[in-house]
Amino acid sequence: MLAHRISLFSGSGTAAAREAAKAAAAQGREIADLAAGEVIAAPPASVREGAIAAIQAGVNRYTDSIGLPCLRKAVAKKLSTDTGFAWDTDNIVITAGAKQGLLDASLTLLDPGDEVIIIRPCWPTFPSQVCLAGGKPVFVDARPPSYVPEIHAIRGAVTPKTKAIIINSPNNPTGAVYDRTTLQAVGDLAINYNLWIVSDECYSSFVFVGHRHQSITAAHPSIRSRTILVNAFSKELAITGWRLGYLAAPPEIVAAAKKLQSMMTSNANVIAQHAILHHLEVSDGSYEREIYRRLAAARKAGLRVLCKLKDVAPPRADGSFFFYLDLKTILARLPRTSSIRTAEDIARILLEQAGVASVAGSTFGDEAGLRLSFGAPPETIEPALEKVVATLNDLKSHEAAA
Ligand SMILES: Cc1ncc(COP(=O)(O)O)c(C=O)c1O
């Protein structure tokens, strides 16, 4: 008999979509995988060199459970540059990816029954981790086309039990980038109702409209004492498998995370820590600029293709690396007799008939959405999106062929 908490998790929809794509490819079909939540690229030479040097030097021991002090210092310096104000080593915890930083946040903040406001569509790990910590997710829907939440809707979800709000800008899956006014309003709300903010900024390198990423800690500096900022090198440096992230928070959270990590996992992998440290010491930012240029070009080319969709508004894709389609109209216009009822049905048809893997919005708590990644290899994106457009524009006859 397994513990009840295991039943709280439905499993990853993204992983399931990728498994289905792999199974189709194993049958000899040519599949374009636009389901992945990662940039498919070789990692920076500096990261590889740093790892090799650490291995050659025989690095092999535990580090402090919240990471090497020199790496925490280097991350504090990077974050100070990124946000425009000073962070101290004492604010930084090195984690095994953003995911561990987010779990640290839930486990340090929540007592059983505490409510956490989560903006939906959302990355499914947010509610799962809140449940794991004994908390209760309370969802606030962000609507198309912007998918930026309305502040009155967030305020309406606050109860005496609300402990925190999780925001994620740039957003997975919607690509939304919250404007400064929204970030400031979220900050005001947190102050007025005495809430914590957990700000997942792991797509911060990928903002394609306006200027650059704006952290809520920069938009509203007085909320720093009640914010856990989570970020990672996973997406920015295309090293999802290396598992290196961090959180930045007030010292009491850092002390709590230190206790937690010491009991749960100990330190993040020491070779990965040295690799990132080396990257931060020697990099001139050219790798990051190149990845950004690549994604910006893929976004532009992809949007040109997606403009041809008939019953689906082209996505905004302001940030992260996802095109998020709202299929409400297309689903509503299908005949009542149609076997296609949901975005999941459409994702299945795209895989079976167009050879394109995508992730249905149900994974993110949105029955009408569909996520397509432009972090895929660049040469695959445009042809795959052409097939998506042709299939969606001709959905009724595709159904007949099925
Ligand atoms: C919004 C969001 N946060 C966190 C993560 C996890 O990042 P990491 O691989 O660094 O744990 C992901 C991964 O897809 C994500 O989409």
Side-chain angles (χ1 to χ4, degrees), residues 37 96-99 102 123 126 168 172 200 202-203 232 234-235 243:
K99 207 172 238 181
L102 291 160
W123 186 52
F126 294 146
N168 170 218
N172 173 19
D200 178 346
C202 73
Y203 294 92
S234 310
K235 317 281 175 176
R243 312 308 302 134

Side-chain angles (χ1 to χ4, degrees), residues 360-398:
S362 50
T363 295
F364 313 106
D366 169 22
E367 293 305 319
L370 188 83
R371 192 190 80 175
L372 299 156
S373 169
F374 55 93
E379 66 284 2
T380 65
I381 298 172
E382 265 185 86
L385 292 178
E386 291 285 3
K387 289 184 197 162
V388 169
V389 169
T391 308
L392 293 185
N393 283 351
D394 203 14
L395 205 53
K396 286 175 207 156
S397 48
H398 275 273

